[in-house]
Amino acid sequence: MDRRQKKTRAAIFSAFTSLLAEKSYSKITVQEIIDSANVGRTTFYAHFETKDDLLKELCEELVAHIVSSAMDCTLYSDGNVPESVFCHLLRHLRENYNNIIGLLSCESSEIFLRFFKDSLNGLVLSQLVNQDRKSHVDIPQDFLINHISGSFVEMVLWWIKGRMKQTPADLDSYFRAVIEPILSTRETSDSA
Amino acid sequence: MDRRQKKTRAAIFSAFTSLLAEKSYSKITVQEIIDSANVGRTTFYAHFETKDDLLKELCEELVAHIVSSAMDCTLYSDGNVPESVFCHLLRHLRENYNNIIGLLSCESSEIFLRFFKDSLNGLVLSQLVNQDRKSHVDIPQDFLINHISGSFVEMVLWWIKGRMKQTPADLDSYFRAVIEPILSTRETSDSA
DNA sequence: AATAAAAGAAAACAAAGTGTTTTTTATCAA
DNA sequence: TTGATAAAAAACACTTTGTTTTCTTTTATT
């Protein structure tokens, strides 16, 4: 890819991210983005079909970055429980806060977190399989996966809205406290 | 309120709801709403400041209806556990499906469910207090409340996206299975 | 350094949508 | 009936979008 293209793309992403920190997605215009990024109108539309497309690509890039890093970290997991992954995700979210502050502010966070949850489903599934958890007798596996990634995302939303007062480690321990009791209530056939 | 006003307001709500069943909120124009509702442009703006305002009012009306009905039902709760309330909410959601099908479809469901979650927080809090649950030693109460209403909302989202295959009773039992273990892990001082 | 190819800038454009104003007509409640 | 209120219709200024055209700059390659 051409240097100019990379520069333009980065400038647009950066401008967009800054704008998202100020106002909600729906109130941002393409004009504001290109003014802030210092690129021409034609240039913007050469890179992105629409504003929606820009948002989608930004979300995908960020989520891929965060989740893939968490995926890697599960490789090291020495038979340990999944808390490491969740803590890892939280730390990553906080570290990248400055980059993604916009997406994590007000209304717009919903959009990002929806992408995030979709990626999380895969991560949670692999965690469950990795740990060889017997699936709960009464609860369908897809319900369980949705419950775990769904409540993780809701926790992140709550965390952000509360201005991230808790540390990732605190949150991780709370989260484990509400999730592990369900996982340990497994089929009694092998624990008796 | 004038009969004409009531009629107009109802026509706009109805048209808007139908349109939401077809396409996402952001793609609906005021022109489409007034064409579908058979009201003049001026009339629309006499009733609602903007399209966002219309959405907000619709969400508020629906959520108030559903949640207040659940609030009432807790009055009868004869010392029983909160499952009755959640099951009640689920049944209500399904019964009103035809009225609110639009808000519960695709992207737009997010918007509705965010309103829903806010109202739910109050309901969950009153449930916890009602039941006189000792608060968990390790988990802050607001974390717990957010976890419960958050995962309820995520469950509803999952339910809707999966075309509501499960019965409210099924879902209620799954939900209790993932929530009650947390609540029963209460302060050991009074169970020992 | 010279050059062809690619990328970007600037300006103008049609089309669509928003929210307001003005005028006229219909409906309500008393 | 009558004054007051609500709604309709049409025109409006304005904003935003996405495209087109023309021209300039930057890049990689020779």
Side-chain angles (χ1 to χ4, degrees):
Chain A
M1 196 189 246
D2 204 303
R3 277 179 212 160
R4 290 168 295 180
Q5 282 184 312
K6 277 187 199 160
K7 238 172 84 181
T8 299
R9 197 180 161 85
I12 292 174
F13 272 166
S14 166
F16 185 46
T17 304
S18 302
L19 285 167
L20 279 167
E22 287 172 29
K23 46 168 78 176
S24 71
Y25 172 71
S26 63
K27 300 221 186 288
I28 296 171
T29 66
V30 174
Q31 194 61 53
E32 288 173 312
I33 297 169
I34 65 183
D35 285 349
S36 173
N38 262 303
V39 299
R41 193 166 192 73
T42 27
T43 309
F44 177 89
Y45 283 107
H47 281 261
F48 305 98
E49 282 187 24
T50 61
K51 200 182 71 172
D52 280 11
D53 186 39
L54 167 60
L55 177 66
K56 190 171 142 273
E57 292 206 26
L58 178 60
C59 285
E60 276 168 0
E61 218 174 85
L62 288 168
V63 168
H65 175 235
I66 292 171
V67 173
S68 80
S69 133
M71 278 287 192
D72 293 347
C73 114
T74 68
L75 298 177
Y76 301 96
S77 95
D78 28 32
N80 257 344
V81 276
E83 65 266 48
S84 55
V85 184
F86 291 122
C87 199
H88 191 94
L89 284 169
L90 292 168
R91 260 188 270 111
H92 240 267
L93 280 168
R94 199 181 52 174
E95 279 160 25
N96 283 261
Y97 187 70
N98 289 323
N99 298 331
I100 59 180
I101 185 173
L103 279 177
L104 295 177
S105 309
C106 62
E107 306 167 48
S108 317
S109 63
E110 303 287 333
I111 298 163
F112 171 76
L113 290 174
R114 220 35 60 184
F115 275 86
F116 191 39
K117 187 185 166 191
D118 285 343
S119 295
L120 228 50
N121 279 327
L123 192 63
V124 170
L125 175 60
S126 73
Q127 283 290 312
L128 286 179
V129 172
N130 249 12
Q131 290 190 265
D132 223 16
R133 297 277 190 191
K134 290 289 166 288
S135 59
H136 209 288
V137 204
D138 318 312
I139 312 178
Q141 168 152 294
D142 56 339
F143 179 95
L144 199 58
I145 289 172
N146 180 73
H147 176 71
I148 295 172
S149 49
S151 52
F152 185 81
V153 160
E154 292 289 339
M155 176 179 72
V156 171
L157 202 52
W158 172 83
W159 189 37
I160 293 162
K161 289 197 172 150
R163 311 188 133 271
M164 287 185 166
K165 273 170 198 145
Q166 303 79 5
T167 66
D170 283 345
L171 274 192
D172 182 50
S173 78
Y174 302 158
F175 191 64
R176 267 161 38 218
V178 295
I179 292 303
E180 299 243 307
I182 308 161
L183 297 179
S184 47
T185 316
R186 63 187 122 169
E187 199 115 29
T188 44
S189 54
D190 66 331
S191 66
Chain B
M1 196 190 246
D2 203 303
R3 276 179 214 162
R4 291 168 294 179
Q5 285 186 61
K6 278 188 198 162
K7 236 172 85 180
T8 299
R9 196 180 160 87
I12 291 174
F13 272 164
S14 167
F16 185 46
T17 304
S18 303
L19 285 167
L20 278 168
E22 285 173 31
K23 47 167 79 177
S24 71
Y25 172 71
S26 63
K27 300 223 187 286
I28 295 170
T29 65
V30 172
Q31 194 59 54
E32 287 173 314
I33 297 168
I34 65 185
D35 285 350
S36 173
N38 261 302
V39 299
R41 193 166 192 74
T42 28
T43 310
F44 177 89
Y45 283 106
H47 281 261
F48 306 97
E49 281 186 22
T50 61
K51 201 183 70 173
D52 281 10
D53 185 40
L54 167 61
L55 176 65
K56 191 171 141 272
E57 291 206 26
L58 179 59
C59 285
E60 276 169 359
E61 217 174 86
L62 288 169
V63 168
H65 175 235
I66 292 172
V67 173
S68 80
S69 133
M71 278 287 193
D72 293 347
C73 115
T74 69
L75 298 177
Y76 302 96
S77 95
D78 26 33
N80 256 346
V81 275
E83 66 266 51
S84 53
V85 184
F86 291 122
C87 198
H88 191 93
L89 283 169
L90 291 167
R91 260 188 269 108
H92 239 266
L93 279 168
R94 200 181 51 176
E95 279 161 24
N96 283 263
Y97 187 71
N98 289 323
N99 297 333
I100 60 180
I101 185 173
L103 279 177
L104 295 177
S105 308
C106 61
E107 308 165 48
S108 317
S109 62
E110 302 287 333
I111 299 163
F112 171 75
L113 290 174
R114 220 34 60 186
F115 276 86
F116 190 39
K117 188 186 165 189
D118 286 343
S119 295
L120 227 50
N121 279 326
L123 191 62
V124 170
L125 176 60
S126 73
Q127 282 289 311
L128 286 179
V129 172
N130 249 11
Q131 289 190 267
D132 223 15
R133 297 278 189 188
K134 289 289 166 289
S135 60
H136 209 288
V137 202
D138 318 312
I139 311 177
Q141 169 153 293
D142 55 340
F143 179 95
L144 198 59
I145 289 173
N146 181 72
H147 176 72
I148 295 172
S149 50
S151 52
F152 186 81
V153 160
E154 292 289 339
M155 176 179 74
V156 170
L157 202 51
W158 174 83
W159 188 39
I160 292 161
K161 288 199 172 149
R163 313 188 131 271
M164 286 185 166
K165 273 170 197 145
Q166 302 79 5
T167 65
D170 283 345
L171 275 192
D172 183 50
S173 78
Y174 301 158
F175 191 65
R176 268 161 36 217
V178 295
I179 292 302
E180 300 243 307
I182 308 162
L183 297 179
S184 47
T185 315
R186 63 186 121 168
E187 199 115 28
T188 44
S189 55
D190 67 329
S191 66

